[in-house]
Amino acid sequence: MKQFDIESKILIVGLGLLGGSYAKALSKKGMYVSAIDIRKESIEYALKNGIICEGSTEVQKQMIQNADVIVFALYPKVFVQWIKEYQHLFNPDTLITDVTGVKKCIVDEIHAILRSDVEFVAAHPMAGREVYGVENSDDRIFNGANYIVVPTEQNTREGIANCKKLGIYLGFARIAELSPEEHDEMIGFVSQLTHCIAISLMTCCDNEGLVDYTGDSFRDLTRIARINENMWSELFMLNKQALLTQMDIFMHEFQTIRHFIANGEVDKLKDKMKLSTKRRALFDRK
């Protein structure tokens, strides 16, 4: 496998918010970035604004074969279908990676069908915004953010190193490595559970005047409640068991706090608050 460097050619498949932000970051490094997206408007916007060097709404053999690295920024099921239909166009030793929010089921399925001369190293950029499309792409979302590489025993050291180097070029502050199982358990907690909580906060009260009464705390807690229902429902279902486990743990903790309040157990309530403050302080370290 070729070493990933500034001369590598990158193909982005799926030019939405994340795909567009990848393209913008890598183009700023001087890399040759091309893209495929079904929306003509996305390709035209990216070309006009210098986000990509080349783009198409069609799957073009030459564009695929020119790529050293292909980044898939697609919904999980679309990603799998794309590999089934078009992997015959890949050059040998092509590195493919993704931005998919679940891993175990997707990684297993891709590895089961992928050609042996092409390497897939899964990755998850822990960055995003509550807007969509390449028009809202912003490579600054990677600054200070985490990038998780999710290798398996089928990956080579070179492939894993190249995937991590991609994260460095994109500008991520921290690069971690998790197994697919560890990834899905962690994402079930830090991402999917938090989205469920935000959705619940926005749907449990039908007072139309909330927007006139709330402060920063409610707005901060519900920022992610502005949600893409198609993508997130697919992610929830694909990671169902891990998410349900985290929801059960959260509900038990919530009930514990409710019990302390209902029974006037102030000292125990304060202990929970002290623990919360201690753990949250870890996120504020520079």
Side-chain angles (χ1 to χ4, degrees):
M1 174 177 290
K2 289 175 58 178
Q3 183 176 359
F4 177 76
D5 57 31
I6 204 70
E7 301 297 326
S8 299
K9 293 183 177 180
I10 311 295
L11 170 62
I12 310 287
V13 181
L15 202 58
L17 174 69
L18 276 177
S21 298
Y22 266 50
K24 188 173 286 187
L26 297 173
S27 290
K28 285 182 178 180
K29 294 288 185 181
M31 303 180 74
Y32 189 93
V33 181
S34 58
I36 296 172
D37 192 274
I38 59 174
R39 291 183 67 244
K40 181 181 179 181
E41 298 84 355
S42 295
I43 296 297
E44 290 176 345
Y45 179 89
L47 287 169
K48 180 180 178 181
N49 289 276
I51 297 173
I52 58 174
C53 302
E54 180 185 9
S56 175
T57 58
E58 303 291 334
V59 176
Q60 294 189 5
K61 178 179 179 180
Q62 194 61 44
M63 191 179 292
I64 294 170
Q65 293 189 336
N66 281 342
D68 300 305
V69 178
I70 304 178
V71 178
F72 287 91
L74 303 171
Y75 286 14
K77 293 178 182 177
V78 177
F79 174 29
V80 173
Q81 189 60 38
W82 206 101
I83 296 297
K84 289 178 179 178
E85 292 185 18
Y86 300 114
Q87 66 167 307
H88 66 280
L89 299 176
F90 295 156
N91 274 335
D93 292 328
T94 299
L95 173 67
I96 68 173
T97 187
D98 68 332
V99 303
T100 312
V102 292
K103 293 304 180 196
K104 176 61 178 171
C105 58
I106 300 302
V107 170
D108 286 350
E109 191 166 1
I110 296 293
H111 280 316
I113 63 175
L114 190 64
R115 288 165 36 188
S116 60
D117 60 350
V118 174
E119 185 165 2
F120 169 45
V121 182
H124 189 176
M126 297 298 291
R129 298 171 62 193
E130 291 66 58
V131 289
Y132 310 100
V134 67
E135 298 84 357
N136 292 300
S137 61
D138 185 354
D139 56 305
R140 292 173 298 181
I141 64 175
F142 306 138
N143 297 337
N146 298 322
Y147 180 78
I148 305 174
V149 178
V150 190
T152 72
E153 293 180 355
Q154 292 180 249
N155 289 129
T156 65
R157 285 181 297 176
E158 293 79 9
I160 296 169
N162 281 341
C163 190
K164 289 182 177 180
K165 198 168 184 181
L166 174 63
I168 293 172
Y169 275 114
L170 288 166
F172 284 93
R174 291 168 295 275
I175 298 176
E177 187 174 317
L178 292 174
S179 71
E181 296 83 359
E182 290 171 331
H183 170 275
D184 288 356
E185 180 182 1
M186 184 60 64
I187 291 305
F189 176 64
V190 301
S191 178
Q192 295 177 346
L193 174 63
T194 56
H195 280 78
C196 289
I197 293 169
I199 294 166
S200 300
L201 283 169
M202 291 307 306
T203 58
C204 70
C205 178
D206 60 4
N207 188 326
E208 295 181 358
L210 279 180
V211 68
D212 298 320
Y213 317 138
T214 55
D216 289 343
S217 59
F218 188 83
R219 282 190 286 269
D220 289 345
L221 279 169
T222 58
R223 176 182 60 83
I224 55 176
R226 186 178 176 184
I227 194 167
N228 180 330
E229 72 276 9
N230 295 317
M231 180 182 75
W232 281 97
S233 61
E234 182 174 332
L235 293 174
F236 286 177
M237 292 300 106
L238 288 171
N239 200 34
K240 179 191 292 188
Q241 196 52 57
L243 175 56
L244 290 175
T245 297
Q246 296 304 327
M247 292 176 78
D248 289 342
I249 293 170
F250 176 81
M251 287 189 289
H252 178 268
E253 190 71 4
F254 197 84
Q255 285 292 335
T256 298
I257 293 173
R258 185 189 187 285
H259 174 83
F260 292 159
I261 296 170
N263 291 277
E265 299 182 45
V266 178
D267 289 341
K268 291 181 179 180
L269 181 62
K270 287 181 178 180
D271 287 341
K272 285 289 184 185
M273 292 177 176
K274 290 175 184 177
L275 179 60
S276 170
T277 300
K278 179 181 178 181
R279 290 181 176 174
R280 185 59 182 82
L282 298 174
F283 289 80
D284 298 325
R285 292 180 179 176
K286 301 296 183 182

